[in-house]
Amino acid sequence: MEIQEKPKHCRVYSYGCLAPLRDRAEDVHTQKMLARKYRNKLVEIERERRLKYAAARDALFPGLAEAEKEIAELNRQMEEKRAESKRRSTTKERVKEIRAEIKLLKEAKIKPAEVTANYRLVSKEDKTLKKQSEAINLDAADKVKEARNSSGVYWGTYNKVEDAAAASFHHSKGPPKFVRNPKRDQLTVQLNPAESIQAILAGQSTMVRLVLSEEKGRGGATKAMLWLRIGSEFKRAPKWAKFPLLYHRSLPSGCLVSYVSVIGHNVGTHCKWEAQFTLSNPAGFVRDDRATSGKVSVDMAWRHMGKDAMRVAYWRDDQGAFGEFRIDPPFLSRWPYADELQSIGDKAFDIARDELAAWIKNNHIPEKFVERLQHLALWKSRDRLRSVVWMWKDYRFAGDESIYERMEAWRREDKKLYDKECFVRRKATNYRKNLYRVFARELAKKYLTCVVEDADWRKLAAKAAIGPDTNYTRYAMRIASPGTLRQILSAAFGPENTVPAMTEGTTITCHNCGSKEEWDAAKHLWHTCEQCGAEWDQDDNACRNLLKTDWGTTDAKETAKKARKAIRRPRRKKKVV
């Protein structure tokens, strides 16, 4: 059998669509719930697998579990100390004491860390543990196969569920968590082999069809109907779910469709639907307006520039041209408005919760409610109380008229506030994404290569500067979302033309003489180098440094990659005892 060569490029085309037609709406909902149940079943199997492996390892190496518990306790104490040092009420003298205490905790952590390192090194070569691990993995694989066959989830959808679960298991530090209310649900069909767009439009595919009409919708987009297979009926006849779709742009001819997904984004108490076509093209996707030369560096930021404007990026090219990208005040005001709606809802929830708790103390309630309302005074989830009130209407009891009416009135008002808050956040997020896409597209028209910062923005947000501006720094990072901008730049230039650069020292190292400067960079944007007297904007200085480094050769990229790994994951020398 001849193996087909993998396509060089893939692209995803997204279209807005509506909820499925009523004849299959119940089947679509069933598939969504089965997919959630299957995902949690995979979590259950993975947790059980990890427990079995830990038990087998601890039986062979009993000292390892004790050392890991000691390390976990020391890490917990260090996190508490760091949190205390970031409080505004903490004095400078106390901060110095905390640093000394953290230093002692780190020293105490060295011995158990060496023990765990030695045990892990020995356990990798232990044949008994390897055999037990293989048996545990095979048993888990059999359970996954059994769960898949009994899940009732259609082929394609369960592949995506398994991929998402595997990715979360890989990145989870502790035991994987069960998913109660996912942010989105996805139904997918996999076309194997991939089919042409013409076959899908002509209705020849047995997995997905796209029927175009002559009627026009909003913005002049063509109204269409997406047929997605969600199962099989008698004699393997396709079971179709139909989604009304706005075909606002044509799928490129000559491409093959490998996946088609319908995604339901859970926004508040509503579901917003979206259709995605994953296309592959062996020849690659090339834009006519793409630049053929030129190099630009982009420094991501979240800097307040006065009059409520925020600088989110600064760029400079290899010819000396430069510029900045700002977010205007009308957009920035949307985030505080969403936070204000959340605050209003939280205060109303506190009042309703306390009122219900006080009423329960003086009145008798059925046993069903006693179990559901345990520890009510400590609840912090508005959704939890809403679900109880929603259940209440089907289980009314004598004497609950007045309190039920007040709780039902709160539930309706809270639902409105929650929906409005979620829609405001989603609208602001989509607007920001559109701004970033336009910015990235304009740069890609002028330059072939883009140098971007290779940083873990989540870690930077967690390690915000200690001081009175700590909360604002994290809030500004959440609004600017530099990680999103970096992803969009990489998509606009392509992975082959996006060069990740090390960010260490780019802002504080003078581009003119190489001197490393020290000053309050959070307060002062401009700085004069004490060594050579050059005056520069720190973001512009970072862009100049990113451009200076030669990242064009493969050797330089590999060297930088190894250097980044060495910086991120320093390794202690291990000794076998």
Side-chain angles (χ1 to χ4, degrees):
M1 178 180 176
E2 185 179 354
I3 300 176
Q4 294 183 355
E5 187 176 336
K6 289 186 178 181
K8 298 179 182 178
H9 297 287
C10 290
R11 276 193 180 174
V12 177
Y13 277 63
S14 298
Y15 300 87
C17 61
L18 298 178
L21 299 184
R22 292 185 177 181
D23 59 339
R24 291 296 184 190
E26 187 63 31
D27 293 331
V28 170
H29 180 74
T30 301
Q31 282 289 307
K32 285 170 52 178
M33 294 299 105
L34 290 175
R36 292 185 186 183
K37 187 177 180 181
Y38 180 49
R39 169 64 184 271
N40 287 326
K41 184 63 177 178
L42 294 177
V43 172
E44 180 184 336
I45 295 171
E46 176 64 15
R47 290 169 71 101
E48 183 182 354
R49 186 192 70 83
R50 294 189 183 189
L51 286 174
K52 287 182 178 180
Y53 178 80
R57 186 194 61 181
D58 294 344
L60 293 172
F61 307 100
L64 180 59
E66 296 178 3
E68 287 182 342
K69 287 180 181 179
E70 187 177 353
I71 290 174
E73 177 61 24
L74 292 171
N75 287 335
R76 185 191 63 80
Q77 294 180 19
M78 284 192 286
E79 287 299 321
E80 290 180 354
K81 299 293 183 184
R82 292 190 183 103
E84 182 183 354
S85 67
K86 292 181 181 181
R87 294 174 190 152
R88 294 188 179 185
S89 58
T90 307
T91 61
K92 292 183 179 179
E93 291 76 12
R94 178 55 185 158
V95 170
K96 292 180 180 179
E97 294 176 0
I98 290 173
R99 289 174 180 172
E101 293 171 1
I102 290 176
K103 187 176 180 181
L104 292 175
L105 290 172
K106 287 182 178 179
E107 292 175 355
K109 186 180 170 183
I110 292 175
K111 187 174 181 179
E114 289 178 350
V115 172
T116 56
N118 294 335
Y119 272 118
R120 285 172 183 168
L121 188 63
V122 173
S123 64
K124 287 182 179 179
E125 306 299 329
D126 190 86
K127 294 182 179 180
T128 305
L129 183 61
K130 281 185 177 180
K131 289 182 179 180
Q132 292 181 2
S133 176
E134 291 175 359
I136 292 170
N137 291 337
L138 287 174
D139 182 57
D142 292 338
K143 289 182 178 180
V144 169
K145 188 175 181 180
E146 182 182 352
R148 181 194 304 145
N149 294 335
S150 61
S151 65
V153 183
Y154 189 58
W155 179 64
T157 300
Y158 68 66
N159 286 336
K160 288 293 183 181
V161 172
E162 291 173 359
D163 292 343
S168 67
F169 298 162
H170 178 72
H171 293 291
S172 62
K173 294 181 180 179
K177 297 180 180 179
F178 292 99
V179 181
R180 181 170 177 263
N181 291 319
K183 293 183 179 180
R184 68 177 198 172
D185 295 288
Q186 184 171 350
L187 302 180
T188 304
V189 293
Q190 181 180 358
L191 307 179
N192 191 11
E195 299 185 16
S196 66
I197 295 173
Q198 289 75 15
I200 292 175
L201 291 173
Q204 300 173 358
S205 174
T206 60
M207 303 300 292
V208 61
R209 296 175 184 176
L210 187 61
V211 181
L212 305 181
S213 68
E214 297 181 356
E215 189 178 355
K216 298 296 181 180
R218 186 177 58 185
T222 302
K223 288 187 176 182
M225 188 68 69
L226 175 65
W227 294 30
L228 192 76
R229 185 169 182 171
I230 58 172
S232 300
E233 295 182 319
F234 182 66
K235 292 186 178 181
R236 300 188 62 81
K239 181 188 291 186
W240 298 104
K242 300 178 183 179
F243 298 83
L245 179 142
L246 276 180
Y247 194 65
H248 65 278
R249 59 173 177 172
S250 300
L251 292 168
S253 59
C255 297
L256 298 177
V257 183
S258 53
Y259 287 95
V260 179
S261 301
V262 175
I263 303 172
H265 299 276
N266 298 315
V267 184
T269 59
H270 298 267
C271 186
K272 296 294 182 181
W273 294 89
E274 175 188 18
Q276 290 185 351
F277 293 78
T278 303
L279 309 181
S280 59
N281 189 349
F285 294 89
V286 181
R287 283 181 174 266
D288 297 334
D289 57 352
R290 275 299 307 273
T292 57
S293 63
K295 187 177 183 181
V296 64
S297 64
V298 180
D299 178 67
M300 267 70 85
W302 48 91
R303 194 178 306 282
H304 184 70
M305 300 299 293
K307 294 184 179 180
D308 297 328
M310 180 185 292
R311 176 194 286 180
V312 296
Y314 195 96
W315 61 270
R316 176 175 280 273
D317 65 11
D318 52 359
Q319 301 299 320
F322 59 90
E324 64 176 359
F325 177 48
R326 293 189 180 188
I327 293 180
D328 296 329
F331 167 75
L332 295 177
S333 62
R334 298 181 182 184
W335 300 95
Y337 179 50
D339 294 337
E340 182 182 354
L341 291 172
Q342 181 181 0
S343 178
I344 294 172
D346 290 341
K347 291 178 181 178
F349 162 72
D350 291 339
I351 296 173
R353 177 199 61 200
D354 296 341
E355 183 181 1
L356 180 59
W359 186 87
I360 290 174
K361 287 182 179 180
N362 302 320
N363 294 272
H364 175 73
I365 59 175
E367 190 65 29
K368 185 180 185 65
F369 287 87
V370 172
E371 184 179 351
R372 288 290 299 269
L373 294 172
Q374 281 185 344
H375 312 294
L376 173 62
L378 302 177
W379 285 11
K380 295 183 179 181
S381 172
R382 293 158 58 182
D383 182 59
R384 189 175 181 182
L385 184 57
R386 280 200 305 266
S387 64
V388 171
V389 178
W390 182 259
M391 177 202 72
W392 198 341
K393 69 176 184 179
D394 296 327
Y395 297 93
R396 300 292 302 275
F397 55 90
D400 70 342
E401 291 79 10
S402 60
I403 187 65
Y404 173 75
E405 290 177 0
R406 294 197 294 273
M407 290 297 104
E408 178 64 18
W410 166 83
R411 186 195 65 81
R412 292 179 180 178
E413 187 63 27
D414 186 74
K415 178 181 179 298
K416 293 178 183 177
L417 282 171
Y418 180 59
D419 286 340
K420 190 171 184 179
E421 173 202 339
C422 292
F423 276 103
V424 169
R425 292 191 192 278
R426 178 177 171 83
K427 191 173 181 180
T429 303
N430 290 342
Y431 181 76
R432 179 184 63 196
K433 185 182 290 186
N434 183 61
L435 289 177
Y436 287 177
R437 284 174 174 169
V438 172
F439 171 69
R441 184 75 247 138
E442 291 299 321
L443 289 181
K445 289 179 181 179
K446 298 178 182 178
Y447 309 104
L448 175 64
T449 308
C450 178
V451 183
V452 294
E453 297 173 306
D454 186 16
D456 191 333
W457 301 107
R458 291 174 297 182
K459 290 184 178 179
L460 287 177
K463 296 180 180 179
I466 299 173
D469 295 332
T470 299
N471 294 333
Y472 172 77
T473 302
R474 294 183 178 180
Y475 187 70
M477 282 191 69
R478 182 162 65 89
I479 294 176
S481 186
T484 301
L485 178 56
R486 189 195 183 286
Q487 290 177 354
I488 291 174
L489 285 169
S490 178
F493 283 87
E496 67 281 357
N497 295 321
T498 305
V499 182
M502 293 174 60
T503 60
E504 187 178 8
T506 54
T507 301
I508 62 174
T509 304
C510 178
H511 67 274
N512 191 39
C513 65
S515 172
K516 288 192 175 182
E517 301 293 300
E518 292 184 4
W519 82 101
D520 191 351
K523 186 177 294 185
H524 302 289
L525 174 62
W526 285 82
H527 177 71
T528 302
C529 179
E530 297 178 357
Q531 188 73 21
C532 64
E535 186 180 7
W536 32 260
D537 180 310
Q538 57 178 287
D539 294 331
D540 182 52
N541 179 64
C543 288
R544 289 174 182 268
N545 286 326
L546 292 173
L547 282 174
K548 280 173 59 177
T549 309
D550 182 16
W551 292 86
T553 62
T554 305
D555 295 339
K557 288 184 179 180
E558 291 297 325
T559 303
K561 188 176 180 181
K562 292 179 181 178
R564 287 195 299 273
K565 286 185 177 180
I567 290 173
R568 289 176 180 174
R569 292 182 289 274
R571 294 184 178 179
R572 188 187 304 276
K573 292 183 179 180
K574 300 176 181 178
K575 298 180 181 179
V576 180
V577 293

